[in-house]
């Protein structure tokens, strides 16, 4: 199906129809399929002439692409959705999840009132006043008896900006604790630290217009066709119009993205560090670096490289708290060139399994100054025990060739959640951060936040709090006594999940705010019903730095309330109402403008509340009402005063230059052996989003992929004696799960490698995964651990 589509140079809209059909289990792309896709995509048309229907804009609730949608509301209910033609992100197109978007609001088991665990282990309905009073009491007691390190907030890249800002302010200025971290630690932290270590400022310099401007697209472990299909369709449309456009897919298994690629390069798991260094070595040896650009814009740095000193965050003393801190020292281009000499094509081919000729071809692509090159990555690079290093190495390639901050020439990290950028990263809801790239470890940053928040000097602690994995380790130990979890499902997503299993009467108090019952609400002491998406006013920030606003369009069910309101009400009960001094019925604008003030004048300028209400979002920095498509670029970025070229003005510690970091190859934390001979990789599928708590309640998506499965190579399956549909047991040193086998499906792993999606709460694959993590970002590695297969 897909190969035929590619040969016919499929148009962007047709590609998305095809992916939509994947949600119906289609195996052929016939005229009838096209008709059905067209019918689904245009299902909203019947409401166009209905005067009782009101259409309003909103960003999609699912991934970090930030597609614009228009929602039809009739009689207080969202009845249809269509792609927003006015949105510069998707230009009217949606993926299969987007076309079914409103249905996630109307599952039969929505949480609609607060519930408290009773003595028998069940839950009783209580009032909001009782619930809020109890949270204030429990958190207050923990603070009094055990101090600020005993309380924690675990949030989400799905938090609206208002929610994340309220949680950040309450935790750091009210509770005086830095124990706040989002689930974005599990997906985007390595990208954050990659940008911060090189530019002293987070987030990409490019934008989605790169997909039309680029000539070569290098995908590093990035299955865009399923994970970011609307953006991938823009690349395919570019290729349809310009046949010379090339797509190179670097991965550990064949995916739907591979079907569309000009070249698929299959590498050994964890070998990408060697590959990137091999490319850099060839660029230097062949004189394909831009020396003038380097001399004007780049410095060289080197950190700690000793494996024994760094560790993996999961063994020995690091298994309780992983606090390794890298220390950078100045380096030089000469030392850089000497360092790279180890990574010859022959050596890299031995580690990666990629032929020498293909390694050389990659270097030729990056070194060709006549063609624009865009590197794209997501979880394959970030969920990595050296994820920050790998982010550095990809960006190094762009820096030494000067292919950066120009249309069609950029390193581009894609995000998985709708506001991982806008809330987790920009608001700063991480254990070590404050808004607008500020850090709790810097006195001047704490002082600025304390001034804006009107709290006494010294209120914000200087010591970073627990990052996500260590936060749950601390909860399991009993060091964290009270935790509030909002908009996320850690009892499905935390690696080495058995480790955080709760015991009865363990002395902890866990609050969970969500919209549906999940394994996480099952572990809660108090469950709060949250308003979702268009049931409240909100803002998200997407992968290209675009902040988008939506109005409340429908009422939430029952007694459900938005997460920010919940936090502010508890704060008031704890005597912290001064942190939120706005009228209860009119606080969104005032809160946003206070938050926005952190970034004004420093290159993190967000559009105003009023601008965002009127537009389909704006790409920051927004200065004098104009958005910035390309950061650091003369002619685009108002903070760049040069007439041409780039200026990395945020990197003041580096003399306003970007840093190229020397980063060696390290092997994965755990590798297959005789007892556990297979690699295990986990990830997502097109139809489901994250843990499936929303998409599994959309009948069409659930019917398409109702359960998790394990992809096995046909030769491995034959040797084991199993076929598609048979059940097997996946066993690691940490746990085991049972799954049906899938052979030659949409994903096809090589021999010795397995893939399991994590959306199915009935099959918790994270009981098997390893809680090893990146040494700098502290992001866990879900892509590489050793397992064995047993027939059931």
């Amino acid at each position: 199906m897909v190969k035929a589509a590619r040969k016919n140079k499929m148009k962007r809209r047709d590609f998305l129809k095809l992916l939509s059909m994947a949600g119906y289990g289609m195996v052929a792309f016939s005229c009838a399929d096209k008709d059905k896709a067209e019918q689904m995509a245009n299902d909203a048309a019947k409401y166009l002439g209905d005067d009782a229907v009101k259409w309003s804009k909103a960003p999609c609730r699912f991934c970090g692409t930030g597609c614009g949608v228009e929602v039809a509301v009739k009689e207080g209910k969202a009845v249809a959705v269509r792609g927003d033609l006015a949105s510069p992100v998707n230009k009217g197109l949606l993926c299969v999840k987007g076309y079914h978007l409103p249905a996630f609001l109307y599952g039969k088991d929505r949480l609609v009132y607060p519930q408290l665990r009773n003595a028998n282990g069940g839950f009783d309905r209580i009032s909001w006043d009782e619930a809020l009073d109890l949270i204030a009491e429990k958190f207050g007691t923990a603070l009094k008896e055990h101090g600020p390190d005993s309380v924690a907030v675990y949030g989400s890249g799905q938090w609206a900006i208002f929610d994340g800002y309220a949680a950040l302010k309450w935790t750091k200025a009210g509770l005086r604790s830095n124990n706040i971290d989002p689930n974005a630690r599990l997906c985007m932290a390595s990208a954050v630290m990659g940008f911060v270590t090189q530019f002293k400022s987070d987030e990409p310099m490019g934008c989605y217009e790169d997909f039309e401007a680029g000539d070569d697209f290098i995908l590093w472990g990035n299955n865009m066709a399923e994970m970011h299909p609307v953006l991938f369709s823009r690349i395919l449309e570019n290729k349809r119009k310009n046949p010379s456009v090339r797509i190179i897919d670097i991965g550990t298994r064949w995916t739907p993205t591979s079907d569309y690629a000009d070249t698929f390069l299959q590498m050994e798991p964890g070998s990408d560090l060697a590959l990137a260094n091999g490319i850099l070595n060839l660029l230097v040896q062949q004189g394909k670096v831009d020396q003038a650009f380097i001399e004007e814009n780049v410095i060289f740095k080197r950190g700690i490289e000793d494996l024994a000193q760094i560790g993996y965050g999961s063994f020995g003393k690091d298994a309780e708290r992983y606090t390794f801190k890298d220390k950078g020292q100045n380096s030089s281009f000469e030392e850089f060139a000497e360092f790279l000499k180890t990574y010859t094509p022959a050596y890299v081919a031995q580690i990666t399994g990629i032929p020498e000729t293909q390694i050389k071809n990659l270097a030729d692509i990056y070194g060709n100054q006549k063609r624009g090159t865009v590197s794209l990555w997501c979880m394959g690079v970030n969920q990595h025990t050296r994820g920050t290093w790998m982010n550095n190495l990809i960006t190094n390639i762009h820096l030494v060739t000067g292919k950066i901050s120009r249309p069609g020439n950029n390193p581009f990290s894609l995000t998985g959640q709708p506001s991982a950028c806008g809330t987790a990263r920009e608001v700063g809801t991480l254990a070590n951060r404050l808004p607008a790239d500020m850090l709790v470890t810097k006195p001047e940053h704490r002082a600025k936040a304390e001034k804006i928040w009107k709290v006494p000097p010294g209120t914000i602690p200087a010591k970073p709090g627990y990052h996500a994995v260590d936060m749950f380790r601390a909860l399991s130990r009993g060091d964290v006594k009270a935790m509030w979890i909002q908009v996320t499902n850690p009892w499905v997503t935390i690696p080495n999940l058995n480790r955080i299993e709760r015991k009865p009467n363990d002395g902890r108090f866990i609050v969970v705010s969500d919209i549906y019952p999940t394994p996480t609400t099952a572990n809660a002491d108090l469950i709060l019903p949250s308003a979702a998406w268009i049931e409240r006013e909100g803002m998200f920030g997407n992968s290209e730095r675009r902040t988008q606003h939506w109005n409340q369009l429908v009422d939430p069910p029952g007694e459900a309330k938005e997460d920010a309101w919940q936090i502010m009400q508890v704060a008031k009960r704890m005597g912290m109402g001064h942190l939120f001094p706005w009228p209860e019925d009119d606080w969104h604008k005032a809160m946003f403008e206070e938050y926005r003030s952190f970034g004004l004048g420093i290159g993190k300028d967000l559009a105003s509340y009023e601008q965002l209400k009127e537009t389909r979002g704006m790409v920051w920095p927004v200065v004098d009402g104009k958005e910035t498509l390309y950061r650091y670029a003369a002619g685009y970025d108002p903070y760049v005063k040069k007439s041409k070229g780039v200026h990395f003005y945020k990197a003041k510690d580096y003399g306003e230059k970007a840093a190229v970091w020397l980063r060696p190859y390290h092997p994965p934390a755990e590798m297959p052996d005789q007892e556990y001979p297979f690699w295990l990789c986990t990830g997502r599928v097109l139809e489901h989003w994250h843990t499936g708590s929303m998409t599994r309640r959309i009948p069409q998506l659930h019917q398409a992929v109702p359960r998790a499965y394990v992809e096995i190579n046909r030769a491995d399956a034959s040797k084991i004696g199993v076929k598609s549909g048979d059940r097997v047991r996946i066993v690691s040193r940490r746990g085991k799960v049972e799954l049906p086998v899938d052979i030659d499906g949409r994903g096809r792993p090589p021999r010795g490698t397995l893939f399991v999606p994590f959306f199915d709460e009935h099959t918790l694959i994270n009981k098997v995964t390893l809680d090893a993590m990146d040494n700098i970002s502290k992001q866990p590695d879900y892509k590489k651990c050793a397992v064995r297969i047993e027939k059931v």
Side-chain angles (χ1 to χ4, degrees), residues 736-749:
K736 57 189 176 183
V737 296
E738 292 184 7
L739 293 149
V741 168
D742 182 64
I743 301 170
D744 292 340
R746 66 178 72 173
R748 299 192 291 281

Side-chain angles (χ1 to χ4, degrees), residues 116-158:
L116 179 65
R117 187 179 295 278
N118 59 38
N120 298 320
F123 288 92
D124 296 326
R125 179 175 182 172
I126 63 173
S127 70
W128 268 109
D129 280 336
E130 291 173 307
L132 298 169
D133 288 346
L134 182 61
I135 298 170
E137 175 194 335
K138 293 290 187 178
F139 273 75
T141 298
L143 284 173
K144 182 178 179 180
E145 296 181 358
H146 304 284
D149 286 346
S150 70
V151 295
V153 174
Y154 186 59
S156 175
Q158 301 160 64

Side-chain angles (χ1 to χ4, degrees), residues 754-791:
L754 311 176
F755 173 83
V756 177
F758 69 90
F759 71 86
D760 187 353
E761 68 180 36
H762 303 295
T763 307
L764 297 173
I765 191 60
N766 281 314
K767 289 185 175 181
V768 175
T769 53
L770 176 66
D771 54 350
M773 66 190 91
D774 178 70
N775 55 316
I776 297 173
S777 71
K778 309 305 186 285
Q779 177 170 344
D781 188 337
Y782 293 90
K783 304 301 183 183
K784 299 175 287 295
C785 72
V787 299
R788 67 172 181 263
I789 308 175
E790 299 172 353
K791 293 177 66 174

Side-chain angles (χ1 to χ4, degrees), residues 6 9-13 15-16 19 65 88-91 93 207-220 222-249 257 260-262 371-377 408 410 412 414:
R6 184 178 157 206
K9 296 183 179 179
M10 179 179 292
K11 292 185 179 180
R12 180 174 178 237
R13 187 176 295 275
F15 165 74
L16 287 170
L19 286 184
T65 299
V89 172
N90 55 308
K91 304 175 184 178
L93 297 181
C207 66
Y208 292 164
E209 291 193 7
D210 283 329
F211 301 135
E212 285 77 41
D215 299 302
D216 296 314
F217 297 88
I218 317 294
L219 279 54
W220 291 83
N222 185 12
N223 180 13
M224 280 187 78
E226 286 197 271
M227 304 305 106
H228 297 88
V230 171
L231 298 182
F232 193 56
S233 77
R234 291 179 64 162
I235 296 175
L236 292 183
E237 181 67 0
N238 182 7
K239 185 174 178 60
R240 185 184 71 84
K241 293 178 178 178
N242 304 286
S244 64
V245 166
R246 294 178 292 190
I247 300 171
I248 291 85
D249 179 28
T257 302
Y260 292 92
D262 294 273
R371 294 175 62 87
T373 307
V374 180
S375 298
L376 294 151
W377 69 95
N410 278 300
F412 206 128
L414 297 173

Side-chain angles (χ1 to χ4, degrees), residues 54-58 69-73 551 553 616:
K54 182 179 180 181
W55 291 88
S56 302
K57 73 175 177 80
V69 302
E70 290 185 294
V71 184
V73 175
N551 291 315
L553 306 181
R616 262 54 177 185

Side-chain angles (χ1 to χ4, degrees), residues 199 205 293 395 398-399 401-406 409-411 646 648:
F199 305 99
M205 53 290 301
F293 182 92
T395 301
H398 285 267
L399 284 169
T401 56
K403 288 187 165 186
I404 193 165
S405 291
R406 288 190 281 142
N409 275 302
N410 278 300
V646 301
F648 300 115

Side-chain angles (χ1 to χ4, degrees), residues 13 17 34-48 55 80-83 85 92-94 99:
R13 187 176 295 275
K17 291 176 188 174
K34 290 183 180 180
D35 291 342
K36 192 167 186 178
E38 193 71 40
Q39 179 183 353
M40 181 178 70
N42 295 314
D43 185 50
K46 62 184 177 180
Y47 294 102
L48 291 176
W55 291 88
V81 67
R82 65 189 181 197
L85 290 169
L93 297 181
L94 297 173
Y99 283 126

